Amino acid sequence: MIESCPRKRMLLGISFLGALTVFVLIVESHWTEKNNSRKRMFPVEQNSTCWERETFEIIQECQPCTDFEIASKSIGVCIHTHYKEVLKCASGEMVTRSCDKVAYIEERLFWKFESFMFVAAFISTFCVHIRKRVLNKRMLQRVQRQLANSV
C-alpha cells in the first residue's frame, strides 16, 4: 500500500508527523514545568532548608558545577548532581542547592541531535536517489541490449 502513495502525499504525511512531534514536545515541556507537583529532595549546602518553609528568590539559575568544584568537593551540593543553583530566602539567608539539569544545555543538546538527524536523513535520501538512478540506468541498458540482440 505504501508503494502506491504518490511522492507529494508521502512528503505531506511525513511533514505533518514531524510538525506534530515538535508540537507535542513543546506542549509536553511546558506542561511538565508548570504541573510538576512532586517535591524534589535535593541536597542543600550547610543543611539549611529555609527554602522549604519560606518564600525564596532564585539568585542564580541552575548551572553546571566546575570540574574544580566537583573534584575538590568545595561545594557539597555539586557532588550529587553536578549542578547547582543559589537561592535567597525571605530571611536573607543565601543557600546553594542541587538541581536536576540546566535547561539551556539540554535544549542545545536536543537541537544538535535534531540537526544531526536532519543531515543524516538528507544524506540518506540523496544516496537512495543516486542508487535509484544507477539501477534505472542499468535496467535501461539491459533492455536496450535485449532489444538489440533480438533484432
Side-chain angles (χ1 to χ4, degrees):
M1 170 155 166
I2 199 166
E3 296 85 15
S4 64
C5 285
R7 182 182 291 178
K8 288 183 181 179
R9 188 174 293 169
M10 189 73 72
L11 288 175
L12 181 67
I14 291 171
S15 300
F16 174 73
L17 288 175
L20 182 65
T21 301
V22 170
F23 175 73
V24 166
L25 285 173
I26 291 170
V27 168
E28 189 268 338
S29 70
H30 288 294
W31 184 71
T32 54
E33 286 176 5
K34 291 179 183 173
N35 295 331
N36 193 2
S37 60
R38 66 183 175 116
K39 192 174 186 179
R40 296 183 178 164
M41 297 303 291
F42 290 116
V44 181
E45 189 176 34
Q46 301 165 347
N47 292 331
S48 176
T49 56
C50 69
W51 55 275
E52 290 181 342
R53 38 180 209 280
E54 301 174 14
T55 59
F56 63 89
E57 178 185 351
I58 297 176
I59 302 297
Q60 219 174 30
E61 290 289 329
C62 190
Q63 61 184 358
C65 298
T66 63
D67 291 334
F68 176 75
E69 290 171 338
I70 295 168
S72 69
K73 300 179 183 177
S74 60
I75 299 179
V77 296
C78 288
I79 299 167
H80 304 284
T81 61
H82 301 289
Y83 298 103
K84 65 180 177 181
E85 68 181 346
V86 179
L87 309 174
K88 183 177 182 180
C89 295
S91 62
E93 186 178 0
M94 298 286 279
V95 179
T96 305
R97 73 172 176 182
S98 258
C99 52
D100 265 340
K101 294 181 180 173
V102 183
Y104 72 90
I105 292 176
E106 294 296 316
E107 185 177 354
R108 187 172 56 202
L109 288 173
F110 170 77
W111 286 114
K112 280 183 183 178
F113 174 76
E114 286 294 318
S115 301
F116 177 74
M117 288 296 114
F118 178 77
V119 169
F122 182 77
I123 290 172
S124 298
T125 303
F126 182 72
C127 291
V128 166
H129 183 68
I130 295 297
R131 180 71 177 154
K132 184 177 175 183
R133 286 177 56 190
V134 167
L135 291 175
N136 284 342
K137 187 176 181 180
R138 284 183 188 171
M139 183 180 66
L140 187 61
Q141 287 174 348
R142 183 191 301 163
V143 169
Q144 287 175 348
R145 270 187 272 137
Q146 287 176 351
L147 288 174
N149 288 339
S150 66
V151 175

